[in-house]
Every structure is written in C-alpha cells, then in structure tokens.
Amino acid sequence: MHRSAPRLTRILACAAVPVMLVVAGCSSDADSKGDATTQAPSAAASPNAAQEVTPSVAPAKYTKLPDACKAITGKTIEDLVPEVKTKSGTPGKSSDTASRGSCSWNGLDDKGVKGSQYRWLDIALLRYESDPSLGSGEQRAQENYTKEVGKVKATQGATAVKTSGAAGVGNEATAISYGLKKTGADFKYAAIVTRTENVLITVSYNGAGYAGAKTPTPSDLMEDAVKASKEAVAAVAAANK
C-alpha cells in the first residue's frame, strides 16, 4: 500500500495538466531513453552522407594556352595578311593568360590606281578548367562551343550567313561565312569556331577590295581560315607537352 501511493500521486498530477504537456513531460523514463537511442545514428551519419554526394569530375586535359600571337605561324600571317602592319601581332588584354588570350593582324596591299586589298585576321582562345559544380573542362567547352557559334552567326549587320562543318579541325569545328558593309566597302568574313578538348578557338578572317579591286570570295577566305585554325589547334597541343 505504501509503495502504490507515490505512483497514484503521479497519475493524478499528470491528469491535471493539458494533453500536450502530458505527452512531453509525463512519458515514462523508458520511452525517453528509447528516443535518444534511435536518434543518435542519424546524427552521426550526416557527415558521411555529405561526403557521398560530393561530385567528382575528370581533370582538364589542357592546362595551358599558347601565346595567341604565336599560335599562327609567321609564314601564314604573311600569306593571309599582305603588307601586314605588325607581323608579331597586336595582343588583346587578358587578366588570366592561362584561361584566355587573343591577337590580331591587319594590312593594306595598296596598288594605287589598280586598287587595294585589305585583310584582317584575329584569333581568340578560351580554356575551361574542370569544376565539381560546373562539370569537366571538356563538358564546359562543349557547352560554350555552341554559344560561340551562335555569337558569330548573330554578328550585327551580317548578311548571307552560312554555316557548315569544318572537317579535320580539332574535335569539332563550325565554319561561318557572311557579308558586312562597312567603311564604304563590302567585306566578306570567314570564321571558324573550333573545340579541341577543353579549349575553344575562334579564328576570324575578313577582307575587302578598294578602289575597284576585286572583293575576296568567301570560299578563298574560308580555305585560309581553316589553315590558320589547324595551326592554332597544333599550337595548343604543343603548349601542353
């Protein structure tokens, strides 16, 4: 009888409080211990679960870029840009030469009353590093390859835009030709956007005839642009040996 008195007192006390408090404060000691036992493993497993979902990507094949002004040989520059002003090229500004670089050349072959031929050649290099949150360098280059082709096709004022594949240049390449009216002359453009592993290369070659000189044909310009692009692909590979 004496042992049951405390238990009865406890039951009466719990009956006098709201239901929510009974659940929280009047459960047995055994239940409380059981809850602690079941919750412990999930808390301990959290760090491991975070490690399991961390993505991993393949390292980028190319870790360097060549000097953009040396990516096309001097002989090719002389062939494509007669009377070139600066044979060594004019480099573009870059705060990260390991990831991007550019260079351009231009020249006017002035033949007086027989007319003049103007040519402009430029190259842009973009290298993509592997990133767990963005993908491998090659995947990122593939994604941006399509975007670069779109940018060239969307050149403001471009007319008669045509695209085709450029076989034998890098892993994949697209040739884009178009016309553009500027400085009172009809310019013809030939551009090649190339992906070689995790690097994108864009070569743009254009020209015009002045004072009655013949305008260059898109096919002739494209043939030269392909040649320059192949040299640039080789230069990227050589820079990473």
Side-chain angles (χ1 to χ4, degrees):
M1 292 295 291
H2 292 290
R3 292 181 181 176
S4 62
R7 182 178 180 184
L8 179 59
T9 302
R10 182 182 178 188
I11 292 173
L12 293 174
C14 288
V17 298
V19 176
M20 292 300 292
L21 293 180
V22 172
V23 173
C26 296
S27 59
S28 66
D29 293 340
D31 291 339
S32 299
K33 292 178 180 178
D35 290 343
T37 303
T38 55
Q39 292 175 5
S42 61
S46 297
N48 293 333
Q51 292 176 2
E52 291 175 359
V53 299
T54 301
S56 60
V57 295
K61 180 174 181 178
Y62 292 138
T63 60
K64 301 176 183 178
L65 286 179
D67 181 338
C69 290
K70 296 179 181 178
I72 301 174
T73 66
K75 183 179 184 308
T76 296
I77 297 300
E78 290 180 341
D79 290 343
L80 272 58
V81 189
E83 301 300 323
V84 60
K85 288 183 179 180
T86 307
K87 185 177 179 179
S88 60
T90 302
K93 294 182 179 180
S94 176
S95 59
D96 183 4
T97 55
S99 297
R100 62 180 64 238
S102 61
C103 194
S104 62
W105 301 261
N106 69 88
L108 178 67
D109 187 10
D110 190 351
K111 298 187 180 301
V113 295
K114 294 182 179 180
S116 304
Q117 288 289 340
Y118 178 81
R119 295 291 185 273
W120 175 287
L121 173 69
D122 65 63
I123 181 174
L125 305 170
L126 289 171
R127 188 185 68 85
Y128 295 89
E129 189 57 83
S130 294
D131 187 307
S133 62
L134 300 174
S136 70
E138 184 174 356
Q139 289 174 331
R140 296 178 65 195
Q142 287 175 328
E143 293 170 357
N144 285 280
Y145 167 76
T146 302
K147 294 179 182 179
E148 290 299 318
V149 171
K151 288 179 183 178
V152 176
K153 291 171 63 177
T155 298
Q156 187 174 5
T159 60
V161 179
K162 296 180 180 179
T163 62
S164 62
V169 184
N171 295 106
E172 55 186 332
T174 298
I176 307 107
S177 64
Y178 58 94
L180 195 62
K181 185 85 170 181
K182 61 180 183 178
T183 63
D186 292 317
F187 276 72
K188 299 299 181 184
Y189 280 73
I192 305 285
V193 179
T194 306
R195 181 184 68 81
T196 174
E197 304 299 344
N198 58 305
V199 173
L200 294 185
I201 303 169
T202 301
V203 169
S204 180
Y205 183 44
N206 66 80
Y210 285 95
K214 185 179 179 180
T215 300
T217 65
S219 59
D220 286 343
L221 291 174
M222 190 61 73
E223 183 178 348
D224 290 334
V226 167
K227 179 182 179 181
S229 296
K230 288 182 176 180
E231 289 186 1
V233 170
V236 171
N240 287 271
K241 286 184 178 179

